[in-house]
Amino acid sequence: MTTAEIAARDPIEQARALLAAKPDGLIEAIAREAGVSTQAALELLPAEQRLFVAPERFEALWQELASWGTVLFLMHTPDIVLEVEGSLPVGSFGHGYYNIHGDSPIGGHIKAGNCRAIYLVDRATAQGRRACSVQFFNAAGEVMFKIFVRRDASRALLPDQLKRFEGLKTSFV
């Protein structure tokens, strides 16, 4: 059986082949095309591009991210890619949610108990730029939301946030 035939029969191998053909491809699109969860596709990236953080670290990680100033909060579903810039309010648990409210356009209620994995993702975009994000996954292996290191006017990653992101790799992994 050829590699192409194996990939056609095995969704993980198909995702692997899609990533090999387009290493900077959008993980959600690769996962959808291969018929695997986004988390399963993400796990196929080289280890240096994705670091696992235990979901039990949700609150501590959120509190660290809340100290970063304005971040890019992103939700990507099959129907919408929603991007909001704002600071992350420090939250608190109540009524089954992690509740975030404050002077920011980012607010609401997160079912933190549904978070089953967190990844620090550091990889190139289709434009060849480095992108750094913290991605929160649910039990189905789909992204709940992502928090990105922001860019300046020249599209470079903000140095202070990039330094903090790099620090997460040692303090949360």
Side-chain angles (χ1 to χ4, degrees):
M1 191 177 311
T2 69
T3 304
E5 291 169 327
I6 293 169
R9 291 184 181 180
D10 181 351
I12 292 292
E13 288 307 315
Q14 184 176 6
R16 192 181 316 280
L18 290 166
L19 272 171
K22 190 166 172 99
D24 59 357
L26 184 62
I27 297 297
E28 286 87 348
I30 288 168
R32 196 168 35 256
E33 186 174 341
V36 300
S37 72
T38 303
Q39 184 178 358
L42 182 76
E43 280 287 332
L44 298 174
L45 291 175
E48 64 273 7
Q49 292 182 17
R50 44 121 183 116
L51 295 171
F52 176 81
V53 175
E56 295 80 18
R57 306 290 312 271
F58 179 96
E59 184 176 25
L61 180 57
W62 184 276
Q63 289 179 358
E64 169 60 28
L65 294 169
S67 73
W68 287 21
T70 302
V71 295
L72 176 63
F73 184 92
L74 188 140
M75 291 183 64
H76 184 163
T77 72
D79 302 310
I80 186 172
V81 177
L82 177 64
E83 299 177 5
V84 180
E85 286 190 0
S87 60
L88 298 177
V90 174
S92 62
F93 285 99
H95 305 290
Y97 289 89
Y98 188 69
N99 302 292
I100 52 171
H101 300 290
D103 189 22
S104 173
I106 301 170
H109 315 279
I110 302 168
K111 200 72 158 173
N114 288 355
C115 181
R116 296 291 190 263
I118 304 167
Y119 289 86
L120 307 178
V121 180
D122 187 344
R123 60 191 297 253
T125 67
Q127 297 78 29
R129 293 188 183 103
R130 183 179 181 193
C132 299
S133 62
V134 181
Q135 301 186 17
F136 297 77
F137 286 80
N138 63 23
E142 296 306 328
V143 178
M144 297 169 68
F145 56 89
K146 303 175 185 180
I147 298 166
F148 280 85
V149 171
R150 284 187 44 245
R151 298 181 182 280
D152 64 18
S154 66
R155 308 295 297 147
L157 295 172
L158 295 178
D160 181 58
Q161 285 188 4
L162 182 56
K163 181 179 178 182
R164 290 170 174 246
F165 178 81
E166 292 293 342
L168 296 177
K169 293 177 181 180
T170 56
S171 60
F172 280 91
V173 177

